[in-house]
Amino acid sequence: MRRFAVRAVVSLRRSILDVQGKTVEQALQAIGFPMIAQVRIGKYIEMEVEASSAEEARAVGEEACRRLLANPVIEDYRIVEVEPVPAVAVGEPQ
Amino acid sequence: MRRFAVRAVVSLRRSILDVQGKTVEQALQAIGFPMIAQVRIGKYIEMEVEASSAEEARAVGEEACRRLLANPVIEDYRIVEVEPVPAVAVGEPQ
C-alpha cells in the first residue's frame, strides 16, 4: 500500500445563491477591485489516502465526498488532484 | 479587456492546527474510512476578473488574496488556475 495526497473541491451548485461569495465580492469592490465579479467560495479538502493505486485513492476520495464532505442537495464535488506522497513519517513537519 | 476565471486556494499554514480538518478526519474514520488521514480543509475561491491578459488577471487575484481573502498570519494562498471565460452574458444560468 502507498499513500496518496487526494485534493477535492466542494462547491455550491451554480443554481444556489452563494451568500458568502456575494459578501466577499462586495467587500472586494469596496476596497478597490471593481474588476472582480462572480465570486464563489467553496471548500478545498486535502487528505492522505492509503491505497494500492492512484485510481483506488481517487475512488476513496470520491466516496468520502459523497458520504460526508458534500451535501448533495446543494453542493457539487470533484477530485482535482491525486499524487503519491513522498515516503516521510506521517506528521513530520514540512 | 477580457474576462478570466481565476481560482485560488487559501489554506492554513502547515504549522497551524487545523481543528476542522481533524474533526472531519475523525468523522471519516468513524464511518468506515480508516485509510484516510491528514485531512486539512481550506477555502476555494472562484472569481471572474476583467483584465487585458491572463497574467494581469492572476496578479489581481493574488492581490485580492493578499489584501482580503487570506489572513497572512495563519494562512497561505495560491492561484491554482487562470482561464478565459467564454463570452456569455454575466449572470447567465449555466
Side-chain angles (χ1 to χ4, degrees):
Chain A
M1 302 290 264
R2 287 174 292 157
R3 299 192 71 77
F4 296 87
V6 177
R7 303 188 178 100
V9 168
V10 175
S11 51
L12 284 173
R13 289 171 182 268
R14 286 282 157 194
S15 56
I16 305 285
L17 175 66
D18 181 348
V19 177
Q20 188 184 9
K22 185 54 73 177
T23 304
V24 166
E25 182 180 318
Q26 289 170 353
L28 283 169
Q29 291 177 353
I31 65 169
F33 291 93
M35 71 295 269
I36 296 182
Q38 303 290 317
V39 178
R40 294 184 75 84
I41 299 184
K43 283 174 284 188
Y44 182 80
I45 299 142
E46 292 189 298
M47 52 194 133
E48 283 188 19
V49 178
E50 198 171 288
S52 55
S53 68
E55 292 67 33
E56 184 187 320
R58 173 183 290 269
V60 168
E62 281 181 350
E63 200 187 341
C65 285
R66 188 176 60 77
R67 287 191 51 204
L68 184 77
L69 301 170
N71 175 346
V73 178
I74 58 169
E75 291 174 325
D76 288 320
Y77 60 85
R78 63 183 194 278
I79 305 297
V80 291
E81 205 170 26
V82 179
E83 63 176 15
V85 175
V88 294
V90 168
E92 184 172 305
Q94 297 187 353
Chain B
M1 301 291 265
R2 287 175 291 158
R3 299 192 73 77
F4 296 87
V6 177
R7 304 189 177 97
V9 168
V10 174
S11 51
L12 284 173
R13 287 171 184 269
R14 287 281 158 197
S15 56
I16 305 284
L17 175 66
D18 181 349
V19 177
Q20 188 184 10
K22 185 54 73 178
T23 304
V24 166
E25 182 179 317
Q26 289 169 353
L28 283 169
Q29 290 176 352
I31 64 169
F33 292 92
M35 72 295 270
I36 296 181
Q38 303 289 317
V39 177
R40 293 183 77 83
I41 299 184
K43 282 174 286 187
Y44 181 81
I45 299 142
E46 292 189 298
M47 52 194 133
E48 283 188 19
V49 178
E50 198 170 287
S52 55
S53 68
E55 292 67 33
E56 184 187 321
R58 173 183 291 268
V60 168
E62 281 179 352
E63 200 189 340
C65 285
R66 187 176 61 75
R67 287 193 49 206
L68 184 78
L69 302 169
N71 175 346
V73 178
I74 58 169
E75 291 174 324
D76 288 320
Y77 61 83
R78 63 183 194 279
I79 305 297
V80 291
E81 204 171 26
V82 179
E83 63 175 15
V85 175
V88 294
V90 168
E92 185 172 304
Q94 296 187 357

